[in-house]
Amino acid sequence: MVSQQASRLVAGSPAIAEAHFRAEASPYHPRLRPDGYLNLGTAENRLVQDLHEARVSRHRSLTGLTGLTGLTGPAGSAGPAGPREFTERDTRYAPLHGTPELRERIARLLTRVCRYPVDAENLVVVGGATAALDVIATALCDPGDAIVVPAPYYGAFDTDLAGRSGAWLLPAPSAASDGFRPSAEAVDRVIADARRDGVTVRAVALASPANPTGYVLSPADLRELSEVAAYHDVDVIADEIYAGSVFGPEPFTSLLTVAARPSRIHTVWGFAKDFGLPGFKVGVLHTRDPELRAAARALAYFAPVSTHTQAFLTDLLADPGWVDGFLAENRRRLGASYELAAALLDTFDVPYVPAGAGCSLWADLSGRLPHPGFAGERALHRTVLDRTHVSILPGEAFHSPEPGWFRVCHSLDAALVREALTRLGHLLTSPPPDSPPRNTSHRNGATHDDGRRRTSTVAEP
């Protein structure tokens, strides 16, 4: 018989993960498996693998080694000495919160990306951004404490922030009419209401840039949220995993640069999105609070990163010029991928929230629900998956305040995106069997300057 904690974790397994593994178990191939699944449900950046392969191939040719073992310079450093072989040091225990060399390289990178001086001593490197979120939530919260999160929010926050800490997540809903921009007023209201009910609120958590919407928070947005947190004397956890994946007109702003109390701001970053390396499972927590940093280093005991992986990433970050070029190309490719997906949705008259970052679009299918409410959203999700073999994720998985919104990921091969969204569009524009034609006259959404449909005015379900 398992513990209550284990039972709770099993019951709370993220829907995002379940959908991913179902789709990936039988993937589409135009010739070998034309009836396979097309996975637009997973925010996995598959656009930059060739850039990594070119770098790794260069190392292989210079060293004569096979596998990802071409690392440069002594102790993972780079320089005129050129590539080095896999060493004994790469096989031994290292500081569980990250080697000094890797933390220094990450600090140098984040200083450029965030435009804020990051001290390597304030970084804790652990096994993925999930682990980093778990670490900071566990360090901040006792079981039964609350974390307020602007909604819709990344669905795995439920497990990442609350699975082990025992905290409760309280959604602060934003409005479709405002593009689901995270609302400081809603956060303020939810904190005040929770405290009136006797709930201890320890933190506000948000993804910046936002997931699932791809909204890039402005300095004013971030300042308002940090001021609300300061007023209520709570910490802020900012998941900045898409910091280097902004392709829209609004540049990335780190919360650290605008917060009145930087010591109460704890940011998370990782290699999964900006570098397209989710399988490496490397996340980074930044905190300036000495007590929390000590607690996070202790909790890193349970989620360390292998020394070999750290050595590889230390080398990857060795040349700032190469890194900056890589990130620029990543942003260009993500922007092109977004434009393709947006154009396909426009073709089939599917409204969406304009995105400026990340791997996904937040699409409005509320006019296609077979019946009202989230039950109708679940029914449409099943229909899409069963009839088209296209995996997109329903808004309920992201605590959407309104039914009918779906996250559609686009950061994969253009041919797959085109095939998937064409299948989806044909399904959505075909009337259901034995039903009258659909009336969509109410769906007059705002438009881009070029006339493209953006987010719609959502009718009551």
Side-chain angles (χ1 to χ4, degrees):
M1 183 175 182
V2 301
S3 68
Q4 292 182 6
Q5 169 80 332
S7 297
R8 186 163 57 85
L9 287 170
V10 170
S13 178
I16 291 174
E18 294 173 8
H20 169 80
F21 289 113
R22 175 178 175 179
E24 290 299 309
S26 181
Y28 165 83
H29 186 280
R31 182 174 55 84
L32 300 177
R33 193 182 288 119
D35 61 341
Y37 287 91
L38 290 145
N39 186 5
L40 303 193
T42 302
E44 192 170 61
N45 183 358
R46 301 184 183 182
L47 300 175
V48 292
Q49 274 66 34
D50 63 307
L51 302 179
H52 288 300
E53 183 58 33
R55 186 173 173 85
V56 170
S57 296
R58 177 174 62 84
H59 288 157
R60 287 174 181 159
S61 66
L62 289 168
T63 61
L65 299 174
T66 58
L68 302 183
T69 56
L71 308 174
T72 61
S77 65
R84 69 170 174 87
E85 294 187 3
F86 184 77
T87 69
E88 181 187 4
R89 187 180 183 215
D90 300 333
T91 68
R92 303 184 66 180
Y93 287 125
L96 296 176
H97 62 283
T99 64
E101 296 88 357
L102 179 57
R103 285 186 288 112
E104 191 58 51
R105 295 275 168 83
I106 293 173
R108 189 169 65 178
L109 168 65
L110 293 181
T111 294
R112 297 198 307 278
V113 172
C114 298
R115 299 186 298 281
Y116 179 89
V118 174
D119 185 341
E121 286 303 301
N122 293 331
L123 300 180
V124 177
V125 178
V126 289
T130 289
L133 291 165
D134 167 73
V135 162
I136 189 59
T138 301
L140 278 172
C141 298
D142 289 312
D145 291 348
I147 299 173
V148 174
V149 191
Y153 63 78
Y154 172 50
F157 273 176
D158 292 324
T159 299
D160 298 353
L161 293 170
R164 185 165 63 146
S165 72
W168 294 93
L169 301 194
L170 302 179
S174 52
S177 59
D178 197 24
F180 292 102
R181 180 178 64 89
S183 167
E185 293 83 0
V187 170
D188 177 61
R189 183 172 61 252
V190 171
I191 294 175
D193 290 348
R195 286 183 167 167
R196 272 196 298 271
D197 292 339
V199 176
T200 299
V201 179
R202 290 303 310 273
V204 172
L206 71 152
S208 175
N211 179 4
T213 64
Y215 178 76
V216 181
L217 285 81
S218 69
D221 294 328
L222 294 165
R223 193 173 294 110
E224 289 175 7
L225 288 162
S226 68
E227 286 172 355
V228 167
Y231 174 79
H232 289 285
D233 194 31
V234 299
D235 291 61
V236 182
I237 302 167
D239 180 355
E240 297 183 343
I241 192 78
Y242 290 108
S245 296
V246 174
F247 51 79
E250 180 71 46
F252 170 70
T253 299
S254 175
L255 185 57
L256 290 166
T257 64
V258 299
R261 304 181 304 167
S263 64
R264 302 292 294 276
I265 306 298
H266 320 290
T267 59
V268 169
W269 179 80
F271 286 84
K273 311 302 183 184
D274 295 347
F275 283 89
L277 295 172
F280 276 45
K281 300 303 297 177
V282 180
V284 183
L285 169 67
H286 174 273
T287 179
R288 291 177 53 180
D289 183 292
E291 263 192 302
L292 285 173
R293 185 171 62 243
R297 287 184 174 187
L299 289 166
Y301 177 88
F302 299 101
V305 179
S306 77
T307 50
H308 185 198
T309 300
Q310 293 192 64
F312 179 83
L313 294 175
T314 300
D315 172 66
L316 188 72
L317 300 180
D319 180 355
W322 181 88
V323 170
D324 291 348
F326 178 98
L327 293 176
E329 178 63 12
N330 173 57
R331 292 191 294 271
R332 187 195 69 78
R333 293 184 183 190
L334 282 170
S337 180
Y338 164 76
E339 289 295 337
L340 169 65
L344 287 163
L345 292 178
D346 289 335
T347 298
F348 293 103
D349 196 30
V350 176
Y352 53 88
V353 175
C359 301
S360 61
L361 280 157
W362 191 231
D364 179 9
L365 307 186
S366 59
R368 280 77 169 180
L369 299 185
H371 41 268
F374 285 104
E377 180 182 282
R378 289 191 291 272
L380 178 60
H381 178 237
R382 287 192 299 271
T383 297
V384 169
L385 193 60
D386 292 343
R387 290 179 56 185
T388 70
H389 281 197
V390 173
S391 176
I392 58 176
L393 292 185
E396 190 174 23
F398 301 92
H399 298 266
S400 176
E402 301 169 351
W405 292 83
F406 285 73
R407 190 181 76 169
V408 179
C409 297
H410 57 78
S411 53
L412 62 161
D413 182 80
L416 299 180
V417 174
R418 189 174 289 107
E419 173 71 21
L421 292 184
T422 300
R423 289 187 191 183
L424 177 65
H426 287 156
L427 173 70
L428 295 176
T429 54
S430 301
D434 304 319
S435 69
R438 197 166 35 86
N439 180 3
T440 59
S441 59
H442 69 284
R443 311 199 56 73
N444 294 317
T447 61
H448 290 282
D449 291 340
D450 62 4
R452 283 212 320 258
R453 292 290 293 281
R454 300 194 307 175
T455 184
S456 64
T457 300
V458 180
E460 290 297 321

